[in-house]
């Protein structure tokens, strides 16, 4: 996630500001003018770096997804059973949310309209699919349509994060929530 802001000067300020605005108010509620004003730059300066709001959002989303996928590849390379890998992905995802809440929140909120615009090779569900298929082939995971497993697994893992800002007062402490989600994943695949 840190690679997002390696740029110097105005581009870094624009990226940080747009990410904060997108994460807090949502992509559709923010205009280029809002971003420029909050970043303390002119709209012309913003357009020097990006074609527009969608270009900026796609840049941020692609960087986040790419970084996340690289981390999943490291987990996939570990010598563990499939369910343990899937639980490690939960732990990683929750740890990233705590360290980079704006980035993860933005990615969760934006996935439905930016997903088709990112390159296939950076999409994390291919790694999750590989882990689940390997688990089914080794008998660690019950045989089931893999995309059904991916949908259920990602729903269990990601929905609490997507809803956490709204329902943190009724959800358990974040560490307890992470533990409960991992436990639910173990039960799901048993």
């Amino acid at each position: 996630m840190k690679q997002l802001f390696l740029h110097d000067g105005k581009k870094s300020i624009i990226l940080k500001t747009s990410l904060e605005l997108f994460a807090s108010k949502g992509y559709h509620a923010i205009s280029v003018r809002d971003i420029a004003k909050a970043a303390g730059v002119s709209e012309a300066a913003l357009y020097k770096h990006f074609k527009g709001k969608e270009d900026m959002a796609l840049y941020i989303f692609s960087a986040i997804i790419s970084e996340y996928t690289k981390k999943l590849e490291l987990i996939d390379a570990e010598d563990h059973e499939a369910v343990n890998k899937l639980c490690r992905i939960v732990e990683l995802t929750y740890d990233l949310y705590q360290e980079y809440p704006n980035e993860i929140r933005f990615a969760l909120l934006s996935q439905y309209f930016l997903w088709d615009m990112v390159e296939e090779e950076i999409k994390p569900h291919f790694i999750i699919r590989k882990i689940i298929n390997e688990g089914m082939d080794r008998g660690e995971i019950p045989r089931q349509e893999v995309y059904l497993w991916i949908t259920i697994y990602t729903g269990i893992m990601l929905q609490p994060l997507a809803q956490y800002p709204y329902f943190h007062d009724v959800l358990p402490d974040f560490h307890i929530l992470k533990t409960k989600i991992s436990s639910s994943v173990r039960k799901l695949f048993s």
Side-chain angles (χ1 to χ4, degrees):
M1 310 296 156
K2 292 177 183 173
Q3 72 179 5
L4 271 177
F5 308 118
L6 293 178
H7 307 284
D8 292 328
K10 288 184 181 174
K11 187 170 185 176
S12 178
I13 293 167
I14 292 167
L15 286 169
K16 286 178 185 177
T17 303
S18 60
L19 176 61
E20 288 170 11
L21 292 171
F22 291 151
S24 65
K25 298 183 180 183
Y27 172 84
H28 297 291
I30 301 300
S31 69
V32 169
R33 178 175 287 151
D34 296 330
I35 296 166
K37 182 178 178 184
V41 300
S42 67
E43 287 183 56
L46 193 144
Y47 283 115
K48 280 173 111 175
H49 299 285
F50 298 99
K51 296 175 188 168
K53 183 174 82 165
E54 183 179 282
D55 185 47
M56 194 179 326
L58 182 58
Y59 179 90
I60 294 168
F61 184 74
S62 295
I64 293 167
I65 295 300
S66 178
E67 187 77 16
Y68 183 65
T69 297
K70 287 176 189 173
K71 292 178 185 305
L72 295 193
E73 288 170 346
L74 295 174
I75 290 173
D76 183 38
E78 294 173 358
D79 188 24
H80 293 294
E81 291 181 353
V83 175
N84 289 337
K85 288 181 183 183
L86 294 170
C87 288
R88 289 263 302 116
I89 291 171
V90 168
E91 292 169 11
L92 167 75
T93 305
Y94 278 66
D95 291 346
L96 287 172
Y97 183 90
Q98 282 196 291
E99 189 172 354
Y100 303 101
N102 284 339
E103 288 85 341
I104 303 306
R105 188 164 152 69
F106 170 73
L108 289 170
L109 295 173
S110 304
Q111 65 182 323
Y112 299 106
F113 70 94
L114 293 174
W115 190 257
D116 289 336
M117 295 182 219
V118 297
E119 302 84 28
E120 291 292 310
E121 60 271 6
I122 69 168
K123 293 180 177 178
H125 72 283
F126 291 118
I127 295 168
I128 294 168
R129 180 181 70 186
K130 178 180 176 280
I131 292 169
I132 291 172
N133 275 328
E134 289 172 356
M136 287 190 297
D137 290 345
R138 291 192 302 251
E140 301 165 3
I141 293 175
R143 184 77 41 202
Q144 176 65 265
E145 180 62 42
V146 72
Y147 280 98
L148 179 59
W149 274 139
I150 291 170
T151 302
I152 296 168
Y153 168 72
T154 57
I156 288 172
M157 176 174 57
L158 298 178
Q159 271 313 114
L161 287 179
Q163 296 176 7
Y164 196 78
Y166 310 108
F167 301 108
H168 61 85
D169 56 330
V170 295
L171 290 170
D173 171 73
F174 201 80
H175 177 73
I176 294 170
L177 179 62
K178 177 172 77 170
T179 302
K180 286 185 175 210
I181 298 301
S182 288
S183 176
S184 295
V185 167
R186 287 194 187 286
K187 288 177 187 171
L188 172 69
F189 290 114
S190 62

